[in-house]
Amino acid sequence: MKNYILLCLIFVSAFSFKSYSQQSKVNSGDKKYDQYAYINAIKTYEKVANKGYKSEDMFKKLGNSYYFNSDFQGAAKWYGELFAMNTNLEPEYYYRYAQALKSTGDLVKANKILDEFNAKFKNDNRGKLYKEDVNYLDQIKANSGRYKIENAGINSKYSDYGSIVYNNKIYFASARDTGNFSQRKHKWTGEYFTNIYDADINAENGSASKVNKFKSAINTKFHEATPVFTKDGKTVYFTRNNYDNGKKGKSESKTTLIKIYKATLENDKWTNISELSINSNNYSTAHPALSPDEKTLYFASDMPGSIGQSDIYKVSINNDGSLGTPQNLGKAINTEGKETFPYVTSENEIYFSSDGHPGLGGLDVFAGLISPDGTIEDIQNVGADINSPKDDFAYIIDPVTRKGYFSSNKDGGLGSDDVYQFLETKRLRCIQELEGVITDAETGAILPEAKVTLYSNQMEKKNEAIADASGRYTFPVDCGKTYNVRAEKEDYATKEVTITIEKTTGKTELPIALEKVSCKVTVGDDLGKCFGIKMIYFDLDKSNIRTEAAIDLEKILAVLNEYPKMKLDIRSHTDSRATFKYNEALSDRRAKSTIDWLIQNGIAPNRLTGKGYGETQLVNKCADGVPCTEAEHQENRRSEFIITAL
């Protein structure tokens, strides 16, 4: 018995020492993790894990350490261990695990985790986006096959990324060594800190010459990346660690974050380096991009008010170079994940990278349209040519040549990140031009200076043009949509035509022939007869103005605006079917709805009167009990616009 007790004591002591040793190593790994030294944290954690030690917290940090370095195979392994221990986890681990699984090619399991993610966290926009577009892989496939891609010729075995082209040079960030004796490695990635490099490029084929380190005070011993130049070449915005004038700034948690800086060119030297007013020691701002008119700066940040880990913002640039108040671009583009590396073109397209929108894994490149009110719409994955199961980002494109660059750590590259050049051979979106010639319906003569207005099928005004000397007009339109086109010219009757645009890129021809106004109206005449308006159409038994009714009322509105002293009495009539009382009430509501529509569109109420007459003023024999055809009943269902003053 004594021997047994002694043996147990020895075993317990050995086990306790072993547990203490393991915990000590885990604590050491935690310190490295908290200092963002992920590469060193991985080494420490894995030594313990490979000896059988299991901990939810350690598996979280192991998975994160790989995930934050875009090593999704390692992330999937340790997130898998985490989920084997517990599935009652925070939403971020569901999403990261799914992203990591996608990157390893396990789409079935990834989508299963995303289904669970969406079921558990219904308010997370990433789950909603996935559920709304559960067939996202089909869209990615449809958007693929549009690029010719090749290595940009500037890459090294280290990280190279974030390119911009200016004045026949390509500028990019690189962690390569170019002779600096005081090499310093970043603990997050295990690579050297990045500086900005450049290379001359051939304008015809995009090939690059020898790479040089950007000789400027912009480069320091810490990270510099993603420069963007103004068109005149006198100002550059760029990303740098919180480091200025030899002093390193830190957040409240003693962490050095990243900021956007600005420099100006004086005597061929970059000087006046200063951080932007949108920066803070306690959050990051990065990856600046300029709007084509250089009045707006787009950037990524995790500043207070962000939806996710990093959001895309914009801020106005004032005439004196100062900045306005940053505006989050909203939930249409930003998710609870990462949105970063914005780029805006002269075609109102915004390209960005995201791991929150449905993609192939890691960061994918997406394209959205910037609407006139600044909101982002029609966001699409650009396809599997650019995107991969790894991180794909920093996409830029020349909207004229359709040539550009992007960065990726996809398989087959030279380093952890590489810069690729591409030629887009087919547009992402279908592009259509609606055009035509305005002519005289009787003679065929062209009608220059006719006013042509484009409306949606809901009669929302989209565009306006004046026909040129050859009577031609043109509008950019969306493929597959239906539009109403109105043509107007003095002495001619206004005409609207409805057209549905083809779903393939090309041009849609819509000639419009106008008829000369054949009637001269006076007090007592029905203005509607000039435009062939027999009745204002309403849905059955209703008095809401329909689209067809609005088109005809627009004609009446135009005349009232042209003749500001004209007054109208609006009369609505029905046929004899239904009861007398019902017909009288319905026609009265319809007359009043017509008047209300004109008032809402700017006509003074004192210019309009109106009444419903029901079936009291039939124009034929079709009274109650008299058999009539539908065409005969139609004659009695009419609207009149009687001129009472001119």
Side-chain angles (χ1 to χ4, degrees):
M1 178 64 72
K2 286 182 178 179
N3 290 337
Y4 175 75
I5 293 172
L6 180 62
L7 186 64
C8 286
L9 287 172
I10 293 171
F11 176 77
V12 169
S13 297
F15 179 79
S16 298
F17 178 77
K18 183 178 180 182
S19 297
Y20 174 80
S21 176
Q22 288 174 332
Q23 188 59 53
S24 176
K25 290 179 180 178
V26 170
N27 292 342
S28 173
D30 288 345
K31 288 182 180 178
K32 295 169 184 174
Y33 181 90
D34 292 339
Q35 294 170 354
Y36 304 100
Y38 296 126
I39 298 300
N40 293 332
I42 287 171
K43 294 176 182 177
T44 302
Y45 286 140
E46 286 192 335
K47 286 180 182 178
V48 180
N50 291 334
K51 291 181 180 180
Y53 182 84
K54 294 185 178 183
S55 159
E56 285 185 30
D57 184 66
M58 185 184 73
F59 288 153
K60 285 181 179 179
K61 291 175 178 176
L62 248 176
N64 288 345
S65 296
Y66 276 108
Y67 190 88
F68 296 153
N69 275 290
S70 300
D71 186 336
F72 298 115
Q73 188 166 355
K77 173 184 175 181
W78 295 112
Y79 286 146
E81 293 289 339
L82 172 64
F83 273 73
M85 291 187 71
N86 183 16
T87 57
N88 187 25
L89 297 163
E90 298 92 331
E92 211 53 53
Y93 291 98
Y94 276 85
Y95 199 79
R96 289 175 188 167
Y97 188 27
Q99 288 290 89
L101 287 168
K102 280 192 211 175
S103 295
T104 62
D106 195 345
L107 294 177
V108 173
K109 190 170 183 179
N111 287 340
K112 178 177 178 293
I113 296 295
L114 283 173
D115 286 330
E116 294 175 10
F117 169 76
N118 189 55
K120 286 191 173 187
F121 310 104
K122 296 184 183 297
N123 292 326
D124 194 301
N125 198 42
R126 291 171 294 182
K128 292 178 183 178
L129 289 170
Y130 164 71
K131 209 63 182 175
E132 290 170 0
D133 193 12
V134 69
N135 297 317
Y136 67 93
L137 290 174
D138 292 335
Q139 186 204 59
I140 293 174
K141 183 178 179 181
N143 290 345
S144 302
R146 302 183 301 107
Y147 293 92
K148 292 180 179 179
I149 297 173
E150 57 185 315
N151 189 296
I154 57 175
N155 297 307
S156 67
K157 65 179 181 180
Y158 300 100
S159 179
D160 304 288
Y161 72 93
S163 55
I164 194 74
V165 174
Y166 175 73
N167 200 20
N168 290 327
K169 281 183 180 288
I170 183 169
Y171 296 82
F172 63 100
S174 179
R176 71 187 67 192
D177 169 41
T178 55
N180 188 347
F181 291 106
S182 58
Q183 297 174 358
R184 303 177 70 254
K185 286 190 176 181
H186 190 213
K187 293 179 180 179
W188 181 311
T189 62
E191 287 199 349
Y192 301 122
F193 283 83
T194 61
N195 281 151
I196 297 172
Y197 288 74
D198 64 43
D200 292 325
I201 56 173
N202 186 305
E204 292 183 4
N205 58 26
S207 62
S209 63
K210 180 183 177 182
V211 172
N212 302 295
K213 191 172 184 179
F214 188 40
K215 294 179 180 179
S216 167
I218 287 174
N219 280 330
T220 67
K221 60 183 179 180
F222 290 102
H223 282 302
E224 282 81 31
T226 55
V228 58
F229 299 88
T230 54
K231 293 173 184 175
D232 62 9
K234 294 180 180 180
T235 303
V236 62
Y237 299 89
F238 62 97
T239 307
R240 177 197 278 176
N241 277 119
N242 186 356
Y243 180 78
D244 196 16
N245 293 321
K247 185 178 180 181
K248 183 169 65 172
K250 292 188 177 182
S251 67
E252 292 174 356
S253 60
K254 307 300 180 185
T255 304
T256 299
L257 302 176
I258 53 178
K259 294 182 175 183
I260 298 175
Y261 290 81
K262 174 183 176 181
T264 56
L265 190 66
E266 294 183 7
N267 298 320
D268 292 328
K269 289 186 178 181
W270 289 104
T271 185
N272 300 321
I273 299 172
S274 59
E275 64 172 274
L276 301 189
S277 60
I278 58 175
N279 293 334
S280 169
N281 288 342
N282 294 311
Y283 58 77
S284 289
T285 57
H287 313 315
L290 286 169
S291 62
D293 63 7
E294 300 186 349
K295 293 182 179 180
T296 304
L297 185 75
Y298 292 81
F299 63 98
S301 179
D302 60 350
M303 65 175 56
S306 295
I307 297 167
Q309 298 165 51
S310 69
D311 285 7
I312 296 176
Y313 287 80
K314 67 177 180 180
V315 63
S316 60
I317 303 174
N318 301 320
N319 292 334
D320 63 359
S322 63
L323 302 180
T325 301
Q327 297 179 37
N328 189 298
L329 292 193
K331 289 189 175 181
I333 185 171
N334 292 317
T335 70
E336 288 80 354
K338 288 183 291 186
E339 279 71 44
T340 185
F341 291 98
Y343 182 75
V344 177
T345 74
S346 58
E347 296 183 336
N348 291 323
E349 289 183 310
I350 182 168
Y351 294 90
F352 64 99
S353 290
S354 170
D355 65 4
H357 292 267
L360 296 176
L363 290 170
D364 273 24
V365 176
F366 294 84
L369 291 176
I370 304 174
S371 62
D373 64 2
T375 57
I376 311 301
E377 56 188 21
D378 192 24
I379 291 174
Q380 295 189 44
N381 188 298
V382 300
D385 309 298
I386 299 293
N387 292 320
S388 70
K390 301 295 180 69
D391 281 333
D392 309 286
F393 56 99
Y395 179 106
I396 65 171
I397 187 171
D398 184 320
V400 177
T401 66
R402 311 309 294 177
K403 294 179 180 179
Y405 297 85
F406 73 101
S407 304
S408 177
N409 65 346
K410 63 175 67 181
D411 294 338
L414 296 178
S416 54
D417 296 308
D418 287 297
V419 179
Y420 295 84
Q421 62 180 351
F422 65 79
L423 171 65
E424 185 187 55
T425 58
K426 179 183 176 184
R427 293 266 190 159
L428 174 64
R429 293 178 177 84
C430 174
I431 303 296
Q432 269 275 355
E433 290 286 330
L434 174 62
E435 58 185 30
V437 176
I438 311 299
T439 59
D440 183 299
E442 184 177 352
T443 67
I446 62 171
L447 298 178
E449 299 183 358
K451 179 182 175 183
V452 187
T453 310
L454 179 73
Y455 294 90
S456 72
N457 63 341
Q458 300 298 319
M459 291 308 296
E460 298 169 324
K461 185 177 178 179
K462 292 293 185 181
N463 213 330
E464 184 178 288
I466 301 297
D468 63 18
S470 60
R472 181 165 289 276
Y473 71 92
T474 181
F475 295 118
V477 290
D478 294 329
C479 300
K481 288 191 176 181
T482 299
Y483 293 91
N484 293 305
V485 183
R486 176 186 302 158
E488 304 170 73
K489 187 165 176 65
E490 188 176 356
D491 297 329
Y492 286 84
T494 299
K495 185 175 183 179
E496 278 96 3
V497 181
T498 300
I499 187 166
T500 299
I501 306 301
E502 293 289 335
K503 293 183 179 180
T504 56
T505 294
K507 293 183 178 181
T508 298
E509 191 75 19
L510 180 64
I512 301 176
L514 299 182
E515 294 183 356
K516 276 200 170 183
V517 176
S518 57
C519 63
K520 298 292 183 180
V521 293
T522 186
V523 173
D525 289 343
D526 182 359
L527 181 61
K529 288 183 178 180
C530 276
F531 300 105
I533 301 173
K534 294 180 179 179
M535 70 175 293
I536 297 298
Y537 288 91
F538 298 87
D539 288 326
L540 182 65
D541 295 335
K542 294 182 180 179
S543 56
N544 299 324
I545 301 294
R546 282 172 46 176
T547 300
E548 300 96 312
I551 291 173
D552 281 335
L553 286 177
E554 287 275 1
K555 301 172 186 177
I556 302 296
L557 178 65
V559 175
L560 286 168
N561 285 327
E562 186 176 355
Y563 299 96
K565 293 183 180 181
M566 180 182 285
K567 293 183 179 181
L568 294 180
D569 183 47
I570 297 166
R571 304 170 185 178
S572 178
H573 303 271
T574 68
D575 59 32
S576 62
R577 292 176 291 187
T579 68
F580 181 92
K581 185 176 181 180
Y582 178 85
N583 284 335
E584 186 177 39
L586 177 62
S587 63
D588 200 54
R589 291 199 306 273
R590 289 178 170 178
K592 289 177 179 177
S593 291
T594 303
I595 291 172
D596 288 343
W597 188 94
L598 290 167
I599 291 172
Q600 289 168 9
N601 283 275
I603 302 303
N606 63 1
R607 298 176 63 192
L608 304 170
T609 57
K611 180 182 176 181
Y613 291 85
E615 58 184 272
T616 63
Q617 296 184 5
L618 301 177
V619 296
N620 56 26
K621 63 179 182 178
C622 299
D624 290 338
V626 177
C628 286
T629 64
E630 181 60 34
E632 289 173 322
H633 281 303
Q634 177 67 63
E635 291 178 11
N636 291 313
R637 297 197 303 273
R638 66 196 190 280
S639 297
E640 296 172 331
F641 298 85
I642 306 301
I643 300 171
T644 59
L646 274 175

